[in-house]
Amino acid sequence: MKKIDDARIDYGKFVLDDYRDDSIVTDRHIAEIYGIRGKNVFYLPRGEQAKTFACAQRLCKWFLRRRLGAGNRVVAVGGGSIGDVTGFACGIYKRGALRLLHVPTTVVAMVDSAIGGKTALDVDGVKNAVGNYFFADVLTDFSFLATLGDDQLLSGKGEILKYFMLCGDPDLVKRPLNEQIAFCADYKREVCLRDPYCEGERNKLNFGHTVAHAMELALGLPHGVAVANGIFYETSLAFRLGLCDANYAEHWRNLAKSLFDVYPFTEEMAESLLQDKKNVNGQIGFVLPAEFKPVLLDISRVKALLLQ
Ligand code: GLY
């Protein structure tokens, strides 16, 4: 199994022919756009629907039928869901014997999900309830960006906003998109190199995600849009807890609001926080600015501070 130090991020052209000896995992929508076909291609359902045990099992069975073993390479071409399920299956198949290359096709996957080895499945409506770590190489091809719709590009900008806030530099938003993506991806890689298993510093990458997962579940928002909403509400929470000052909170809340629609945070969303992975002993786990350290709060306190 690859170690985090050996997992590379390369930038270049994805040429299908270079991977004819590998096993490619994608979905039919992506396959159609990029002309990916052949006996070495496995199709997962599109989006979050792929993140099930049933899909991971089907993928492992396909690996078996192809007699894959040590030294064989799997190539996951797609957004976060394709990467999550393929990474999960690679992590459990023959105890991690395969090699994996992520070829992210969305901004969210380029700056976040393809990097750092986290994998995930949803169980009983709980997002990312199950997962493992499987470190993989990444090939980022910026020409995929031209095929994304406005919604997908906007969603990516939610994750990018998170990184800009972590760095404390709002002017990064003025750089060309390719540069923003490379900056965020390299930033994440550095954090993961220092803390591969999320035991300390890597937790800060979860900023905005407690509220985001609740909003994704309740409203079906694209991930990055939900993260931008999470940034808005969790910054408010930090301010109300005295963790950041008013100028700081206003600045970042206004930036989030200028780029994204902000939706109301509801009682139902607050209840769903009780399932968050960062919770400890029934308390809700957040990572809050300005220091981006983990904070635990009772659900009653969260409701009092956010349902205003
Ligand atoms: N998406 C947060 C992390 O990879 O740690």
Side-chain angles (χ1 to χ4, degrees):
M1 198 181 309
K2 195 183 271 292
K3 296 206 170 57
I4 180 90
D5 318 52
D6 305 325
R8 302 162 51 96
I9 305 178
D10 289 311
Y11 297 92
K13 188 101 195 92
F14 173 69
V15 180
L16 187 59
D17 221 31
D18 294 346
Y19 302 95
R20 56 175 175 261
D21 295 332
D22 298 317
S23 299
I24 299 178
V25 183
T26 188
D27 68 38
R28 289 193 185 277
H29 176 76
I30 293 167
E32 200 165 303
I33 298 177
Y34 305 115
I36 302 171
R37 60 181 77 86
K39 288 208 176 74
N40 64 337
V41 182
F42 184 90
Y43 303 100
L44 285 167
R46 193 160 181 222
E48 205 71 19
Q49 286 173 20
K51 290 172 60 175
T52 63
F53 278 116
C55 287
Q57 186 182 30
R58 281 198 353 249
L59 190 49
C60 288
K61 286 183 175 181
W62 184 68
F63 292 162
L64 278 176
R65 286 200 300 281
R66 286 179 61 74
R67 301 188 194 289
L68 298 191
N72 290 126
R73 185 168 63 171
V74 174
V75 182
V77 186
S81 300
I82 299 288
D84 277 350
V85 185
T86 310
F88 181 83
C90 287
I92 57 173
Y93 179 80
K94 297 193 177 172
R95 297 199 186 92
L98 302 177
R99 291 180 297 139
L100 174 61
L101 173 69
H102 287 294
V103 182
T105 57
T106 64
V107 179
V108 171
M110 288 176 188
V111 299
D112 189 38
S113 57
I115 300 156
K118 279 188 183 174
T119 82
L121 302 181
D122 302 339
V123 180
D124 282 349
V126 181
K127 198 175 152 63
N128 300 344
V130 167
N132 50 15
Y133 285 89
F134 191 78
F135 299 111
D137 291 327
V138 180
L139 172 67
T140 293
D141 177 350
F142 291 123
S143 66
F144 286 124
L145 297 177
T147 66
L148 299 178
D150 289 347
D151 285 0
Q152 282 168 304
L153 287 170
L154 185 69
S155 177
K157 286 179 187 161
E159 280 289 351
I160 288 178
L161 183 63
K162 175 192 81 177
Y163 288 105
F164 292 174
M165 206 164 155
L166 291 174
C167 301
D169 185 352
D171 288 340
L172 288 165
V173 87
K174 296 178 191 147
R175 290 210 212 161
L177 184 57
N178 292 8
E179 282 182 27
Q180 291 184 24
I181 291 171
F183 174 88
C184 296
D186 293 339
Y187 179 92
K188 176 164 181 179
R189 182 164 189 276
E190 290 300 315
V191 171
C192 293
L193 279 170
R194 290 191 290 269
D195 178 20
Y197 297 107
C198 215
E199 294 162 317
E201 184 190 358
R202 184 167 174 174
N203 280 300
K204 70 185 182 187
L205 302 176
N206 289 324
F207 167 53
H209 282 64
T210 305
V211 166
H213 286 163
M215 295 191 102
E216 254 179 294
L217 190 68
L219 302 176
L221 295 180
H223 180 69
V225 176
V227 170
N229 274 262
I231 288 171
F232 181 88
Y233 284 107
E234 293 187 17
T235 302
S236 301
L237 192 57
F239 171 62
R240 287 169 191 156
L241 288 167
L243 298 175
C244 63
D245 66 38
N247 286 344
Y248 176 97
E250 269 317 283
H251 176 81
W252 290 102
R253 279 163 42 107
N254 286 343
L255 187 56
K257 220 171 172 175
S258 69
L259 296 169
F260 296 88
D261 289 331
V262 172
Y263 299 89
F265 186 75
T266 65
E267 177 88 31
E268 179 204 0
M269 293 172 193
E271 285 295 325
S272 73
L273 298 180
L274 288 163
Q275 289 284 17
D276 195 89
K277 282 192 305 300
K278 297 180 287 309
N279 295 354
V280 178
N281 292 331
Q283 290 195 298
I284 315 300
F286 292 91
V287 179
L288 296 179
E291 290 204 12
F292 300 103
K293 297 259 169 66
V295 173
L296 292 171
L297 296 172
D298 287 333
I299 185 70
S300 53
R301 188 98 195 273
V302 175
K303 286 186 183 176
L305 291 169
L306 280 185
L307 298 175
Q308 296 186 349

